[in-house]
Amino acid sequence: MLDNGVITVSSPHTVEETVSRFEAALKAHKVTLFAKIDHAAGAGEAGMTLRPTLLLIFGSPRTGTPLMQHNQEIGLDLPMKALIWQDADGKVWLSSNDPAWLVRRHRLGDAVEETVAALENGLAVLTQEASAG
C-alpha cells in the first residue's frame, strides 16, 4: 500500500516480534539502528493509552550522505524510519517513507538514481525479512 509517500505492509507477527525481526535484519545487513522509540510507552507516561507503536530509526552514512550532498534538506527525513504498529483490529503493520517520494519531496533529481535504487532495494529486503510469514 502506498499513500502520500508512505509504504505500508502487513505483518503476520506481533508488533514485538516484527520489531525483533526488523532489528535482526538491520544487524544482518550491517545497517545501524540509531534509536527505537516506543510511542505507546510515551503515551502511558502521559497518562494516555496507545496501541503498540514503535519507531525504529536506522540507516547508513554511505547511503544518506550522497543524498544530503545534493540537498541537505533531505536530512529532515534521514535517517530512514520504520513504524511498526497495531491497528484497532489487532492487525500489525510496518510503515516507512518511500525513498523515491523523498527524492521528489527534496527535489534531488536523477543524479541520485543509483543511490535511491539501492535504498529502495535495501528497505524492501528489511521489510520483507521483518514481515515474512
Side-chain angles (χ1 to χ4, degrees), residues 39-58:
H39 288 299
E45 290 172 9
M48 300 163 49
T49 60
L50 181 66
R51 290 181 300 276
T53 307
L54 283 101
L55 179 69
L56 303 179
I57 301 173
F58 62 94

Side-chain angles (χ1 to χ4, degrees), residues 78-107:
L78 296 177
M80 294 295 292
K81 297 166 212 56
L83 184 71
I84 300 167
W85 53 284
Q86 182 181 48
D87 69 16
D89 295 324
K91 188 145 178 74
V92 175
W93 302 93
L94 192 159
S95 300
S96 57
N97 286 318
D98 175 19
W101 183 83
L102 293 176
V103 166
R104 289 190 302 278
R105 178 179 186 207
H106 295 286
R107 304 167 312 281

Side-chain angles (χ1 to χ4, degrees), residues 56-130:
L56 303 179
I57 301 173
F58 62 94
S60 168
R62 289 182 186 267
T63 307
T65 301
L67 299 175
M68 286 189 275
Q69 287 172 329
H70 286 278
N71 183 352
Q72 285 175 281
E73 286 180 357
I74 197 168
L76 287 167
D77 291 306
L78 296 177
M80 294 295 292
K81 297 166 212 56
L83 184 71
I84 300 167
W85 53 284
Q86 182 181 48
D87 69 16
D89 295 324
K91 188 145 178 74
V92 175
W93 302 93
L94 192 159
S95 300
S96 57
N97 286 318
D98 175 19
W101 183 83
L102 293 176
V103 166
R104 289 190 302 278
R105 178 179 186 207
H106 295 286
R107 304 167 312 281
L108 297 178
D110 295 336
V112 297
E113 193 172 301
E114 280 184 40
T115 301
V116 173
L119 193 55
E120 288 173 323
N121 291 335
L123 183 59
V125 167
L126 295 170
T127 299
Q128 171 64 27
E129 289 181 17

